[in-house]
């Protein structure tokens, strides 16, 4: 419960300055999370390498006024399925279990309506290694000139990886190399981009029947282990998938069976090993006898390997009949496969057509659909379905072609992206080996409308008119059949608003003659297209926009030496003050964090202009507590949008003058520097009189640069329990270096065996970070000097190697 107290906090009388403080956005990307390689600092915009399924963390640091809004995008798509964009300040993009498809260049776009947007980018490289896939291919004869080799086996190993994988082939436990075994050849096929390696076993020998392993490796990048797949090459036999073809006279380019012309019947089965398959032909139940007019061949060069063909020369009436092709493995316990072909005057090539009324199929999204083509002919071949209007588009099954025996393509739960033209065509197997016949079916998927805006705030001064428009973006059908307006859930039109003239087919409008307190509220436009409906939501009011806090106030904290209180300079501008009635006053609420009581104060103002910096000084804040500040503008309409922020106590920084431009570590508050809470250990302020007597001998300086025992310096001990890579870091306060030229200078001291350390002075905007990274047994104190050039960005990192 919030308690209102008016006299608990003193507020210095309000004043404002008419200066324009709007500044264009600036941005910088900071990466963190589970990077594969530890960077020297996390500010530079380099390639960010991460392992698939780890967590990606990118943060966009922004400056400018008004505070810029941040939007993350990615090359060729959004950053992730769930993350589209954001308008939260200093937004952190976090992707849990990052996928390979989410690698690429990420852009942080910061804009605040002043100048051009600031855009920074970083490339994210996602490392992965899939399980390898091994396929086996076999040829019976490998033709080189007139020389025919015997059977050859190809073991093809394919893997998806980043970076490209290294392949190792093994027979048993022995690594294979064509330089050590003339019977093998290892090569990369063309156009595979390093994703495939083929092991070719030439002219199979007895020792080639063994277990083969394809091992893939990305050399342990990101800790990804090697993977492998094993295949055993044996003499095991198998057969499946018997098919046939009827080929009319090719020379005469005939597509029909005609007496006096040649005719070829072909039979094929898929088998392992393919070359052991034998074929036998029968006519009307009796073995077919070869003659001058009946020829049987085993390897037809025009057909797949090990295909048997029966060719009838100068077809006679007596050649009509039923032909049977039987495939078998002699001496192996494998069942025979057979296929039957009937040749007669009724054996005709196929035709295909779409049934009447089925050329256009219209269904609603989410419903099943059936596309149908009818095939006539004898025999009737299978029907192959594919997409027509989309290049390289796949069918809903995920395949480019889908076979159906009855000519019907059945689709479950169709979606709008399935709309389009589908082709049905006859297969060239299990039927005539002729030009495919084809037809087309159009699928229209109807879906509810999509409208714009889905939600919109409309601000206007009291008494001014407002026009609300709901636009149909897409839908099927693409037209508005009805539009209904509601105000606060009640149907319109009652006063004070009435619809305008007749509705257009792609939008609906509502006009308010004047914005009043009574007409302010939520408006909804529900549009339909006979399939479904969608709504545009409008929030109409005359209330003021929220204030815009100014975050770049130089040294806003002011401490009071005689008390434990501090004051804070609070500055802000008003967002779009001319959009509504003038702001009359602000309601200020100040509450200490973790407390319920709040101070509330009304601050009157005169007419506020856009870009005008308003200022109020909060006093009697308790050191070192933080406070929540809420600021609400008021107009004649009433309360506007509230803005809130947290103010933290930071040690005030005295701006260096011409006579005193240094700050020494004699200052107990170490010049406003703070210990970084994310490092491994802290720096220690000490002098020769206060140093730890237990610190390791022969480490650190005996005194500071003054040479006196009273002089203070900052010190770290890097002996045990410190480990390699531990960091101690001091972070400076925020320096306002935009108007003056500053130098940051440190003396340093490094002493000890195996020192080998690195010192870093890193810049983030105008924050200075001083750190020391340990090695095995080094000791180090500091001395560095960095002077950013005026009107230029400082280097993101600067390192000194001893």
């Amino acid at each position: 419960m919030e308690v209102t107290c008016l006299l608990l906090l003193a507020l210095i009388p309000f004043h404002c300055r008419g200066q324009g403080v709007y500044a264009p956005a600036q941005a910088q990307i900071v990466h963190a999370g589970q990077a594969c390689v530890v960077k020297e600092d996390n500010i530079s915009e380099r390639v960010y390498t991460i392992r698939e399924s780890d967590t990606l963390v990118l943060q966009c640091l922004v400056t400018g006024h008004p505070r810029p809004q941040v939007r993350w995008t990615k090359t060729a798509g959004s950053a992730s399925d769930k993350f589209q964009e954001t308008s939260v300040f200093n937004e952190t993009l976090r992707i849990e279990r990052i996928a390979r498809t989410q690698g690429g260049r990420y852009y942080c776009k910061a804009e605040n309506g002043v100048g051009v947007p600031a855009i920074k980018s970083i490339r994210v490289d996602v490392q992965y290694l899939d399980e390898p896939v091994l396929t086996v291919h076999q040829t019976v004869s490998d033709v080189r000139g007139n020389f025919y080799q015997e059977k050859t086996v190809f073991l093809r190993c394919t893997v998806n990886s980043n970076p490209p994988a290294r392949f190792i082939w093994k027979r048993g436990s022995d690594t294979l190399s064509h330089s050590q075994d003339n019977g093998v050849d290892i090569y990369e096929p063309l156009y595979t981009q390093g994703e495939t390696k083929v092991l070719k076993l030439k002219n199979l020998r007895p020792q080639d029947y063994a277990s083969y392993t394809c091992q893939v490796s990305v050399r342990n990048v990101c800790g990804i282990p090697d993977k492998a797949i094993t295949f055993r090459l044996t003499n095991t036999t198998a057969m499946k998938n018997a098919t046939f073809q009827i080929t009319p006279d090719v020379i005469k380019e005939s597509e029909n069976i005609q007496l006096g012309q040649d005719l070829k019947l072909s039979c094929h089965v898929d088998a392992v090993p393919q070359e052991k398959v034998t074929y036998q032909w029968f006519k009307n139940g009796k073995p077919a006898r070869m003659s001058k007019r009946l020829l049987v061949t085993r390897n037809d060069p025009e057909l797949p390997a090990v295909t048997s063909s029966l060719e009838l020369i100068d077809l006679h009436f007596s050649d009509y009949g039923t032909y049977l092709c039987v495939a078998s493995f002699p001496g192996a316990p494998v069942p025979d496969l057979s296929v039957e072909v009937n040749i007669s005057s009724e054996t005709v090539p196929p035709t295909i057509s779409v049934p009447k009324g089925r050329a256009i199929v219209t269904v609603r999204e989410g419903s099943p659909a059936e596309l149908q083509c009818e095939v006539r002919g004898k025999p009737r071949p299978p029907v192959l379905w594919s997409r027509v209007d989309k290049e390289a588009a796949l069918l809903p099954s995920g395949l480019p072609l889908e076979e159906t025996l009855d000519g019907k393509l059945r689709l479950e739960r169709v979606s709008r992206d399935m709309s389009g033209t589908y082709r049905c065509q006859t297969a060239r197997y299990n039927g005539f080996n002729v030009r495919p016949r084809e037809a087309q079916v159009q699928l229209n998927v109807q879906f509810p409308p999509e409208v714009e805006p889905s939600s919109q705030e409309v601000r206007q001064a009291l008494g001014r008119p407002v026009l609300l428009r709901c636009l149909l973006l897409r839908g099927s059908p693409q037209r508005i059949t009805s539009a209904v307006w509601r105000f606060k859930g009640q149907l319109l039109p009652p006063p004070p608003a009435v619809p305008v003239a007749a509705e257009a087919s792609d939008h609906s409008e509502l006009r308010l003659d004047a914005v009043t307190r009574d007409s302010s509220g939520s408006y909804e436009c529900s549009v339909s297209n006979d399939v479904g409906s969608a709504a545009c939501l409008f929030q109409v009011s005359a209330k003021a926009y929220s204030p815009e806090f100014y975050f770049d106030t130089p040294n806003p904290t002011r401490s009071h030496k005689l008390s434990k209180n501090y004051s804070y300079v609070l500055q802000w501008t008003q967002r779009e003050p001319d959009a509504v009635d003038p702001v009359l006053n602000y309601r200020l609420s100040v509450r200490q964090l973790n407390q319920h009581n709040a101070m509330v104060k009304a601050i009157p103002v005169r007419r506020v202009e856009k870009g005008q910096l308003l200022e109020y000084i909060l006093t009697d804040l308790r050191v070192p507590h933080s406070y929540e500040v809420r600021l609400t503008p008021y107009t004649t309409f009433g309360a506007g949008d509230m803005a809130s922020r947290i103010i933290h106590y930071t040690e005030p920084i005295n701006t260096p003058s011409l006579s005193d431009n240094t700050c020494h570590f004699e200052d107990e508050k170490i010049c406003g520097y703070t210990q970084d809470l994310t490092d491994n250990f802290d720096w220690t302020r000490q002098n020769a009189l206060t140093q730890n007597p237990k610190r390791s001998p022969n480490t650190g300086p005996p005194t500071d640069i003054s040479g006196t025992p009273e002089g203070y310096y900052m010190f770290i001990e890097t002996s045990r329990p410190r480990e390699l890579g531990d960091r101690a870091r001091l972070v400076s306060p925020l320096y306002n270096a935009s108007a003056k030229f500053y130098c940051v200078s440190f003396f340093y001291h490094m002493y000890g065996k195996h020192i080998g350390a690195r010192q870093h002075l890193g810049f983030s905007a105008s924050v200075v970070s001083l750190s020391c990274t340990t090695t095995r047994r080094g000791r180090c104190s500091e001395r560095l000097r960095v002077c950013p050039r005026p009107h230029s960005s400082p280097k993101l990192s600067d390192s000194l190697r001893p």
Side-chain angles (χ1 to χ4, degrees), residues 16 185 220 338 357 429 532 549 618 695 748 772:
C16 66
D185 190 10
N220 202 39
S338 63
Y429 56 87
F549 284 112
L618 307 178
R695 81 178 189 184
Y748 74 92
C772 181

PDB file of all heavy atoms in Angstrom, residues 16 185 220 338 357 429 532 549 618 695 748 772:
ATOM      1  N   CYS A  16      13.206  25.633 -15.423  1.00  0.00           N
ATOM      2  CA  CYS A  16      13.431  24.945 -16.691  1.00  0.00           C
ATOM      3  C   CYS A  16      14.287  25.814 -17.582  1.00  0.00           C
ATOM      4  O   CYS A  16      14.379  27.017 -17.386  1.00  0.00           O
ATOM      5  CB  CYS A  16      12.108  24.602 -17.380  1.00  0.00           C
ATOM      6  SG  CYS A  16      11.178  26.057 -17.906  1.00  0.00           S
ATOM      7  N   ASP A 185      39.920 -45.629 -53.328  1.00  0.00           N
ATOM      8  CA  ASP A 185      40.091 -44.253 -53.795  1.00  0.00           C
ATOM      9  C   ASP A 185      39.187 -43.380 -52.932  1.00  0.00           C
ATOM     10  O   ASP A 185      38.009 -43.703 -52.730  1.00  0.00           O
ATOM     11  CB  ASP A 185      39.715 -44.127 -55.270  1.00  0.00           C
ATOM     12  CG  ASP A 185      40.121 -42.782 -55.841  1.00  0.00           C
ATOM     13  OD1 ASP A 185      40.847 -42.049 -55.148  1.00  0.00           O
ATOM     14  OD2 ASP A 185      39.686 -42.450 -56.959  1.00  0.00           O
ATOM     15  N   ASN A 220      37.579 -30.494 -32.461  1.00  0.00           N
ATOM     16  CA  ASN A 220      37.213 -30.151 -31.084  1.00  0.00           C
ATOM     17  C   ASN A 220      36.910 -28.670 -30.903  1.00  0.00           C
ATOM     18  O   ASN A 220      36.991 -28.142 -29.795  1.00  0.00           O
ATOM     19  CB  ASN A 220      38.320 -30.558 -30.107  1.00  0.00           C
ATOM     20  CG  ASN A 220      37.789 -30.732 -28.693  1.00  0.00           C
ATOM     21  OD1 ASN A 220      36.690 -31.247 -28.502  1.00  0.00           O
ATOM     22  ND2 ASN A 220      38.555 -30.296 -27.707  1.00  0.00           N
ATOM     23  N   SER A 338       8.203 -61.130 -59.143  1.00  0.00           N
ATOM     24  CA  SER A 338       7.727 -61.236 -60.524  1.00  0.00           C
ATOM     25  C   SER A 338       6.797 -60.073 -60.832  1.00  0.00           C
ATOM     26  O   SER A 338       6.200 -59.465 -59.937  1.00  0.00           O
ATOM     27  CB  SER A 338       6.998 -62.557 -60.743  1.00  0.00           C
ATOM     28  OG  SER A 338       5.847 -62.636 -59.923  1.00  0.00           O
ATOM     29  N   GLY A 357     -15.780 -30.441 -62.551  1.00  0.00           N
ATOM     30  CA  GLY A 357     -16.055 -29.741 -61.312  1.00  0.00           C
ATOM     31  C   GLY A 357     -14.962 -29.845 -60.273  1.00  0.00           C
ATOM     32  O   GLY A 357     -15.126 -29.335 -59.154  1.00  0.00           O
ATOM     33  N   TYR A 429       6.842 -45.731 -65.420  1.00  0.00           N
ATOM     34  CA  TYR A 429       7.069 -47.112 -65.014  1.00  0.00           C
ATOM     35  C   TYR A 429       5.719 -47.728 -64.653  1.00  0.00           C
ATOM     36  O   TYR A 429       4.741 -47.029 -64.393  1.00  0.00           O
ATOM     37  CB  TYR A 429       8.048 -47.197 -63.848  1.00  0.00           C
ATOM     38  CG  TYR A 429       7.654 -46.387 -62.629  1.00  0.00           C
ATOM     39  CD1 TYR A 429       6.827 -46.918 -61.645  1.00  0.00           C
ATOM     40  CD2 TYR A 429       8.107 -45.068 -62.473  1.00  0.00           C
ATOM     41  CE1 TYR A 429       6.460 -46.178 -60.540  1.00  0.00           C
ATOM     42  CE2 TYR A 429       7.747 -44.325 -61.372  1.00  0.00           C
ATOM     43  CZ  TYR A 429       6.918 -44.883 -60.414  1.00  0.00           C
ATOM     44  OH  TYR A 429       6.555 -44.141 -59.323  1.00  0.00           O
ATOM     45  N   GLY A 532     -13.985 -15.786 -41.611  1.00  0.00           N
ATOM     46  CA  GLY A 532     -13.714 -15.468 -40.222  1.00  0.00           C
ATOM     47  C   GLY A 532     -13.686 -13.968 -40.052  1.00  0.00           C
ATOM     48  O   GLY A 532     -14.106 -13.203 -40.937  1.00  0.00           O
ATOM     49  N   PHE A 549      12.746  10.891 -19.605  1.00  0.00           N
ATOM     50  CA  PHE A 549      13.842  11.199 -18.688  1.00  0.00           C
ATOM     51  C   PHE A 549      15.140  11.402 -19.457  1.00  0.00           C
ATOM     52  O   PHE A 549      15.426  10.689 -20.429  1.00  0.00           O
ATOM     53  CB  PHE A 549      14.006  10.088 -17.653  1.00  0.00           C
ATOM     54  CG  PHE A 549      12.961  10.107 -16.573  1.00  0.00           C
ATOM     55  CD1 PHE A 549      12.023   9.096 -16.485  1.00  0.00           C
ATOM     56  CD2 PHE A 549      12.916  11.149 -15.657  1.00  0.00           C
ATOM     57  CE1 PHE A 549      11.054   9.112 -15.492  1.00  0.00           C
ATOM     58  CE2 PHE A 549      11.956  11.175 -14.665  1.00  0.00           C
ATOM     59  CZ  PHE A 549      11.018  10.163 -14.576  1.00  0.00           C
ATOM     60  N   LEU A 618      16.095  16.889  -6.501  1.00  0.00           N
ATOM     61  CA  LEU A 618      15.604  16.159  -5.345  1.00  0.00           C
ATOM     62  C   LEU A 618      16.656  16.244  -4.252  1.00  0.00           C
ATOM     63  O   LEU A 618      17.846  16.013  -4.500  1.00  0.00           O
ATOM     64  CB  LEU A 618      15.354  14.691  -5.700  1.00  0.00           C
ATOM     65  CG  LEU A 618      14.456  14.422  -6.921  1.00  0.00           C
ATOM     66  CD1 LEU A 618      14.364  12.921  -7.159  1.00  0.00           C
ATOM     67  CD2 LEU A 618      13.086  15.001  -6.704  1.00  0.00           C
ATOM     68  N   ARG A 695      51.396 -10.583   2.725  1.00  0.00           N
ATOM     69  CA  ARG A 695      51.461 -10.703   1.273  1.00  0.00           C
ATOM     70  C   ARG A 695      52.790 -11.338   0.863  1.00  0.00           C
ATOM     71  O   ARG A 695      53.779 -11.245   1.582  1.00  0.00           O
ATOM     72  CB  ARG A 695      51.276  -9.346   0.605  1.00  0.00           C
ATOM     73  CG  ARG A 695      52.498  -8.462   0.541  1.00  0.00           C
ATOM     74  CD  ARG A 695      52.174  -7.164  -0.187  1.00  0.00           C
ATOM     75  NE  ARG A 695      53.367  -6.375  -0.448  1.00  0.00           N
ATOM     76  CZ  ARG A 695      53.343  -5.173  -0.998  1.00  0.00           C
ATOM     77  NH1 ARG A 695      52.178  -4.615  -1.317  1.00  0.00           N
ATOM     78  NH2 ARG A 695      54.469  -4.515  -1.225  1.00  0.00           N
ATOM     79  N   TYR A 748      52.008   2.585 -13.321  1.00  0.00           N
ATOM     80  CA  TYR A 748      51.857   1.164 -13.053  1.00  0.00           C
ATOM     81  C   TYR A 748      53.184   0.594 -12.568  1.00  0.00           C
ATOM     82  O   TYR A 748      54.248   1.129 -12.820  1.00  0.00           O
ATOM     83  CB  TYR A 748      51.367   0.413 -14.291  1.00  0.00           C
ATOM     84  CG  TYR A 748      52.400   0.220 -15.367  1.00  0.00           C
ATOM     85  CD1 TYR A 748      53.190  -0.937 -15.385  1.00  0.00           C
ATOM     86  CD2 TYR A 748      52.574   1.164 -16.370  1.00  0.00           C
ATOM     87  CE1 TYR A 748      54.146  -1.126 -16.374  1.00  0.00           C
ATOM     88  CE2 TYR A 748      53.521   0.987 -17.361  1.00  0.00           C
ATOM     89  CZ  TYR A 748      54.310  -0.153 -17.353  1.00  0.00           C
ATOM     90  OH  TYR A 748      55.252  -0.337 -18.321  1.00  0.00           O
ATOM     91  N   CYS A 772      43.479  -6.033 -14.564  1.00  0.00           N
ATOM     92  CA  CYS A 772      44.722  -6.778 -14.651  1.00  0.00           C
ATOM     93  C   CYS A 772      44.378  -8.246 -14.685  1.00  0.00           C
ATOM     94  O   CYS A 772      43.588  -8.723 -13.871  1.00  0.00           O
ATOM     95  CB  CYS A 772      45.618  -6.469 -13.463  1.00  0.00           C
ATOM     96  SG  CYS A 772      47.197  -7.358 -13.522  1.00  0.00           S
TER      97      CYS A 772
END
